[in-house]
């Protein structure tokens, strides 16, 4: 039930970590749980948006009313986002691995034989920057996240320009903040209009408030 201010809008949300294979049995990953991204997808769907959740490996349940596309690597995540276009809204909450192994081994790398393997890395595509800079079919509203351990707002404002997105949700991930894998989040919403400091709240509440702001953005435009 409830009001559906995003009815008729399409949203793509990225969530979770990515896994970047080293060989068939090993991978590089990070500590993202997918809690925040999944909660955002759920909140957008509740407001009526047709929501596609593109998620890396996460133990979070599939939110109701959301179409889930499961991916593993950053390149798969980008391809899934591109396949999900067109969209009015893109929210990139995934913790995409910055690098992948340059030359993934086809067979399991063996310990026997002595020599330590050296892992050459190469840069992954930036999904947020790619969606933000689409020459045609760019979503009207592209929202990124910034996980910072210091100078949170300052770094997030710089990131807004670098990525070309419209809003950044900046969160404090200093170890003491308990954000990673935890339930609470302290965020700042950064846009061209400045920074809004939100009080400490649960990731569900951040998601609900963000979805509400997104709905208001589209209401103000029409
Ligand atoms: O550059 P940084 O990783 O700090 O930026 C974080 C933001 O960029 C998040 O919104 C994240 O989902 C997005 N991102 C992305 N693809 C990458 C790296 C980050 O979409 N390869």
């Amino acid at each position: 039930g409830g009001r559906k201010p995003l009815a008729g809008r399409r949203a793509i949300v990225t969530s979770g970590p990515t896994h970047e294979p080293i060989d068939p049995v090993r991978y590089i990953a990070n500590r993202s749980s997918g809690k925040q991204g999944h909660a955002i997808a759920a909140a957008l769907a509740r407001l009526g948006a047709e929501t596609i959740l593109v998620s890396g490996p996460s133990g979070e349940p599939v939110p109701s009313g959301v179409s889930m596309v499961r991916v593993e690597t950053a390149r798969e995540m980008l391809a899934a986002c591109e396949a999900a276009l067109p969209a009015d809204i893109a929210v990139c909450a995934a913790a995409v691995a910055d690098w992948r192994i340059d030359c993934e081994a086809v067979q399991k790398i063996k310990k026997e034989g002595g020599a330590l393997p050296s892992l050459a890395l190469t840069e992954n595509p930036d999904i947020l920057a790619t969606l933000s800079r689409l020459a045609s079919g760019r979503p009207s509203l592209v929202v990124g996240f910034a996980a910072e351990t210091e100078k949170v707002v300052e770094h997030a404002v710089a990131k807004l320009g670098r990525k070309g997105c419209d809003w950044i949700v900046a969160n404090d991930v200093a170890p003491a903040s308990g954000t990673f894998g935890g339930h609470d989040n302290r965020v700042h919403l950064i846009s061209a209009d400045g920074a809004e400091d939100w009080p400490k709240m649960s990731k569900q509440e951040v998601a609900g408030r963000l979805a509400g702001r997104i709905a208001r953005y589209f209401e103000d435009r029409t």
Side-chain angles (χ1 to χ4, degrees):
R3 221 166 59 88
K4 305 276 185 215
L6 290 175
R9 305 280 180 193
R10 273 173 63 87
I12 300 170
V13 179
T14 72
S15 186
T18 64
H19 285 184
E20 307 295 336
I22 296 170
D23 68 16
V25 300
R26 304 183 179 95
Y27 56 83
I28 295 179
N30 62 65
R31 295 185 190 283
S32 169
S33 62
K35 281 191 169 72
Q36 186 65 81
H38 280 53
I40 290 164
L44 290 171
R46 271 197 306 275
L47 295 189
E50 181 187 343
T51 305
I52 297 144
L53 175 59
V54 179
S55 180
S58 158
E60 290 294 302
V62 180
S64 72
V66 164
S67 305
M68 172 83 137
V69 181
R70 293 177 192 278
V71 297
E72 228 169 85
T73 67
R75 285 180 297 174
E76 288 168 7
M77 187 172 277
L78 176 59
C81 289
E82 287 172 336
L85 289 167
D88 304 285
I89 303 152
V91 180
C92 293
V96 182
D98 292 312
W99 310 284
R100 67 175 181 273
I101 305 297
D102 192 21
C103 212
E104 175 189 344
V106 179
Q107 305 294 340
K108 183 181 176 188
I109 301 169
K110 301 297 285 178
K111 181 172 60 178
E112 300 79 10
L116 290 172
S118 74
L119 301 177
L121 302 177
T122 189
E123 206 165 317
N124 262 331
D126 190 312
I127 296 157
L128 174 59
T130 302
L131 295 177
S132 295
R133 299 193 194 286
L134 280 175
S136 83
R138 180 194 190 275
S140 323
L141 185 63
V142 181
V143 183
F145 273 71
E148 305 287 352
T149 56
E150 54 159 2
K151 299 184 190 156
V152 176
V153 170
E154 190 183 321
H155 287 159
V157 168
K159 189 159 295 180
L160 190 72
R162 241 182 2 252
K163 303 270 188 176
C165 58
D166 302 296
W167 298 352
I168 288 264
V169 180
N171 56 342
D172 187 342
V173 295
S177 72
T179 296
F180 269 111
H183 292 285
D184 283 345
N185 222 347
R186 166 122 165 75
V187 310
H188 314 263
L189 182 64
I190 316 289
S191 71
D193 301 333
E196 240 179 55
D197 302 328
W198 291 4
K200 184 171 171 146
M201 58 182 88
S202 72
K203 291 181 179 178
Q204 311 294 329
E205 288 167 321
V206 168
R209 194 155 162 170
L210 181 64
R213 294 304 301 265
I214 290 172
R216 202 208 298 169
Y217 167 86
F218 284 100
E219 281 166 350
D220 287 349
R221 276 176 13 130
T222 51

